[in-house]
Amino acid sequence: MQNVMNLSFNALGENEAFARVAVASFAAKLNPTMDDLAELKTAVSEAVTNAIIHGYDSNPAGIVYITASIDDGEIDVVVRDEGKGIHNIDQAKEPLFTTKPEMERAGMGFTIMEHFTDLLEIESSTSSGTVVRFKKRLADKRVRCV
Amino acid sequence: MLTMTAETSGKILCVRLTGELDHYYSEQVKEFVESEMEANQTQHLIWNLEQLSFMDSSGLGVVLGRYRQVNEMGGSVTVCGLNTQVKRLFQLSGLFKIMYFEKTEQDALRRLEGSSCKMS
């Protein structure tokens, strides 16, 4: 059976740790490895940071929405903002590309999300904001002999 | 939560981070390290990340920013004590190619102090 949880919170940097720990706690019931859990937390952190500093330009009045669902050993995470959107998604995904070099952004957010998850989808519009969705298989991946 | 301390040995500054480094703490780390570097006229910077349990690309940005500063002064940056997750971030971003990596802070100090002895 599918198990779903929803979170929404203000676009404040201090909420980044809360968001990744909440999703990791939700995922813990799948008994993931420590490495998989660390990768999941990193992907959540990247997506939430993007929503805060790019989507909302660090305006704390913005709201970040997370929906996570677990089904058949896999977690599906959707991080959504109603901010200014991404002008060019292909460019944003290029390693080291950043629109905020003055903030010492590494430009590695989407590269890290792609490497640390099994599937990454980005939808964005300058009128409605950005939706980042990723999936990650977490349940025991070993073949069991019966 | 993130805490940071710094220790100097001649022109070498060692920064030790404990906890989680994300966007929220990155500006504090930048200001702390910059002020320590200025006060100590740092030439070589060591990041001891043994007690760092989590880092994201915001941390990479801070490390890369300080690398640029130190590099301009002809110095070097060494990173040590990486856990598996943090190590993968450094690998993905290519920072292994421009910085030194050591297992421990002592290893980093030994190499830097050895090379400065050779220079004098």
Side-chain angles (χ1 to χ4, degrees):
Chain A
M1 199 196 101
Q2 197 184 37
N3 183 8
V4 182
M5 75 105 174
N6 286 290
L7 280 178
S8 61
F9 50 86
N10 283 96
L12 286 162
E14 65 199 67
N15 286 333
E16 290 163 15
F18 160 71
R20 62 178 178 263
V21 169
V23 175
S25 301
F26 182 65
K29 57 179 70 65
L30 292 175
N31 197 23
T33 65
M34 293 298 283
D35 285 349
D36 277 345
L37 209 53
E39 290 179 357
L40 177 68
K41 284 169 75 173
T42 313
V44 171
S45 202
E46 299 295 346
V48 171
T49 303
N50 277 353
I52 293 173
I53 66 174
H54 296 292
Y56 292 122
D57 277 327
S58 304
N59 177 358
I63 303 291
V64 182
Y65 302 88
I66 297 182
T67 298
S69 57
I70 288 173
D71 194 11
D72 195 24
E74 188 176 69
I75 189 163
D76 184 315
V77 181
V78 176
V79 178
R80 181 171 67 86
D81 68 64
E82 294 169 343
K84 68 181 183 192
I86 301 168
H87 183 64
N88 183 334
I89 292 176
D90 287 337
Q91 195 177 40
K93 286 170 75 177
E94 283 174 19
L96 306 177
F97 174 82
T98 180
T99 54
K100 294 193 185 294
E102 75 285 359
M103 285 180 75
E104 292 200 335
R105 304 305 307 165
M108 289 298 294
F110 283 127
T111 305
I112 289 166
M113 282 185 252
E114 277 185 325
H115 277 80
F116 283 10
T117 64
D118 298 326
L119 178 77
L120 176 70
E121 293 172 348
I122 306 156
E123 285 174 37
S124 192
S125 115
T126 48
S127 57
S128 60
T130 300
V131 180
V132 173
R133 180 181 187 187
F134 50 82
K135 292 184 178 201
K136 190 168 179 64
R137 177 140 199 91
L138 293 176
D140 193 348
K141 297 168 190 165
R142 286 169 296 184
V143 176
R144 284 205 178 92
C145 296
V146 287
Chain B
M1 197 46 203
L2 182 88
T3 55
M4 47 203 164
T5 59
E7 194 175 334
T8 55
S9 168
K11 297 275 185 187
I12 302 168
L13 175 70
C14 183
V15 177
R16 303 179 188 118
L17 303 182
T18 301
E20 304 199 344
L21 173 54
D22 60 12
H23 156 60
Y24 183 60
Y25 288 104
S26 59
E27 188 64 28
Q28 288 176 42
V29 174
K30 177 190 170 188
E31 286 172 10
F32 173 75
V33 178
E34 274 186 342
S35 71
E36 290 287 332
M37 282 171 58
E38 198 178 327
N40 298 295
Q41 295 182 305
T42 299
Q43 187 181 6
H44 302 291
L45 176 62
I46 299 173
W47 294 93
N48 181 343
L49 307 183
E50 260 169 42
Q51 301 300 318
L52 192 72
S53 55
F54 175 88
M55 189 175 106
D56 64 15
S57 68
S58 306
L60 289 177
V62 178
V63 172
L64 194 55
R66 303 297 71 70
Y67 167 81
R68 288 186 180 125
Q69 287 179 318
V70 169
N71 195 42
E72 266 177 29
M73 312 295 284
S76 69
V77 173
T78 307
V79 182
C80 56
L82 308 183
N83 73 21
T84 311
Q85 181 252 348
V86 177
K87 194 173 188 176
R88 281 201 64 200
L89 291 186
F90 277 91
Q91 282 168 334
L92 279 176
S93 58
L95 295 189
F96 277 128
K97 292 173 189 160
I98 55 173
M99 295 174 195
Y100 291 97
F101 285 81
E102 298 285 356
K103 199 169 180 186
T104 68
E105 187 181 316
Q106 287 69 32
D107 292 338
L109 277 171
R110 206 173 297 130
R111 180 177 46 75
L112 286 169
E113 284 167 348
S115 64
S116 61
C117 285
K118 277 176 207 158
M119 280 190 283
S120 59

